[in-house]
Amino acid sequence: MKRAKNLYSYYMIFPALIIYSVFFVIPAITGFYYSFTDWRLDRLELSFIGWDNFRKIFSDKTLILALQNTAIFAIVTVVGKNVIGLLLAVGLNMRLRTKNLLRAIFYSPSILSILVISILFTPMLRTEGTINNLLEAIGLSSLSQAWLTNPTIVIWTIAIVSIWQSAGFQMAIYLAGLQSISQEYYEAAKIDGASSWRSFFKITLPLLLPAININLMLTLIGGLKVFSEVYVMTGGGPGNASQVVGTIILRSFGEGNWGLGTAVNTLLFVVVTIIAIPLLIFMRRKEVTE
């Protein structure tokens, strides 16, 4: 009976574990194997080719550009979403009469699909679109840009749209963290003569580490897996200027080069794992020490 009770919790997770294994673990292992083959649409038999697909990734200029764009997008969106989300949360945690309305307004874009947001922003960001017309109307025509056709800024433009769409979600997580902090800490700090800035850095940020940890993980993984907004807004263009890892994977499979596409996907998985797990461990340790 005692042994049966000890195994009871494991029995409960078996169905979920089986489903996870069938739909995630087994396909991942299979994909890892295929990334080392010449798997193509026009071939009936597979041949093991070792690291050839991965060598091609780091020798093809378009693939290297896609890796760079993915890194830029991830860094910009992680910083932007978390900084803006934290500032909004701090502002809306104050005693404002309209704070509930403002929370709803800032959170509402995150409810919409990024596909919908991308479709809405695409005509607005054209050379003759709403954004440039608005800049001209307020006397800032010098800031007008070819937002989606200028190779230099196109990936930054897409990143800003992603930040606008998701910062409200990060705000909600930070707001929940802020509301869990006891006001007694701030009252004690005020009695000791601590300024608002000192209270923020010595009380708020350390106690907000669990929320920061969650948001960093979500935004980092989401940034490295970017696909939908790039595919809808530019399709990887102009030329290949906004190609990211996700669009390269789609293009490789579309061209029938399934082995290369799987290799790119495997590389993305490895990169996400190498970055996310050490960061998660580091942030967890910071939570404990703080």
Side-chain angles (χ1 to χ4, degrees):
M1 289 293 293
K2 185 177 180 180
R3 185 178 180 182
K5 288 181 179 180
N6 291 333
L7 292 175
Y8 181 75
S9 58
Y10 293 98
Y11 294 151
M12 298 298 291
I13 68 171
F14 278 155
L17 185 61
I18 292 172
I19 294 174
Y20 182 79
S21 299
V22 170
F23 291 100
F24 293 96
V25 177
I26 295 176
I29 296 173
T30 304
F32 182 78
Y33 168 74
Y34 283 140
S35 66
F36 292 93
T37 68
D38 60 351
W39 188 27
R40 290 183 60 89
L41 178 63
D42 55 357
R43 294 182 182 176
L44 297 178
E45 296 182 358
L46 299 179
S47 298
F48 186 82
I49 59 174
W51 296 95
D52 287 358
N53 286 325
F54 295 93
R55 293 192 188 98
K56 185 175 181 180
I57 293 174
F58 292 103
S59 61
D60 188 295
K61 292 183 178 179
T62 301
L63 294 176
I64 293 175
L65 179 60
L67 293 174
Q68 293 174 346
N69 285 337
T70 303
I72 292 172
F73 183 91
I75 294 171
V76 172
T77 53
V78 167
V79 174
K81 291 176 181 179
N82 283 282
V83 171
I84 294 175
L86 181 57
L87 291 175
L88 289 174
V90 171
L92 296 179
N93 194 44
M94 298 178 180
R95 296 178 180 178
L96 301 174
R97 290 185 178 180
T98 59
K99 64 180 181 181
N100 291 331
L101 175 62
L102 292 174
R103 289 174 185 176
I105 291 174
F106 288 121
Y107 182 77
S108 57
S110 64
I111 299 174
L112 299 175
S113 167
I114 188 60
L115 292 173
V116 175
I117 297 294
S118 301
I119 293 171
L120 291 174
F121 267 91
T122 300
M124 293 173 62
L125 290 167
R126 289 173 181 163
T127 306
E128 68 284 358
T130 306
I131 303 297
N132 284 340
N133 290 337
L134 180 61
L135 291 173
E136 292 176 5
I138 60 177
L140 297 176
S141 57
S142 59
L143 298 179
S144 298
Q145 299 286 337
W147 303 103
L148 297 178
T149 55
N150 185 340
T152 306
I153 65 171
V154 60
I155 194 66
W156 295 82
T157 301
I158 299 172
I160 291 172
V161 172
S162 180
I163 292 171
W164 181 89
Q165 188 264 345
S166 182
F169 181 79
Q170 272 64 58
M171 175 203 71
I173 295 176
Y174 284 129
L175 196 56
L178 288 171
Q179 292 179 346
S180 67
I181 301 175
S182 174
Q183 292 299 313
E184 294 179 358
Y185 295 113
Y186 298 104
E187 293 171 1
K190 189 175 181 179
I191 292 173
D192 290 339
S195 64
S196 298
W197 281 107
R198 188 170 180 81
S199 296
F200 178 78
F201 286 106
K202 295 297 183 178
I203 298 175
T204 305
L205 284 183
L207 295 178
L208 205 59
L209 279 176
I212 295 174
N213 188 13
I214 293 172
N215 273 332
L216 282 178
M217 287 297 102
L218 291 176
T219 53
L220 176 62
I221 294 174
L224 292 174
K225 292 171 60 179
V226 57
F227 169 74
S228 301
E229 46 268 68
V230 175
Y231 181 73
V232 173
M233 298 180 73
T234 64
N240 290 311
S242 62
Q243 291 283 3
V244 291
V245 171
T247 56
I248 288 294
I249 293 172
L250 177 67
R251 190 178 74 174
S252 297
F253 276 93
E255 293 173 350
N257 196 350
W258 299 336
L260 178 61
T262 307
V264 176
N265 191 48
T266 300
L267 179 63
L268 176 62
F269 170 77
V270 172
V271 170
V272 171
T273 303
I274 290 175
I275 295 175
I277 291 180
L279 180 60
L280 179 62
I281 294 173
F282 172 76
M283 293 299 295
R284 289 295 186 188
R285 287 178 178 174
K286 290 290 290 182
E287 288 181 30
V288 174
T289 56
E290 294 292 346

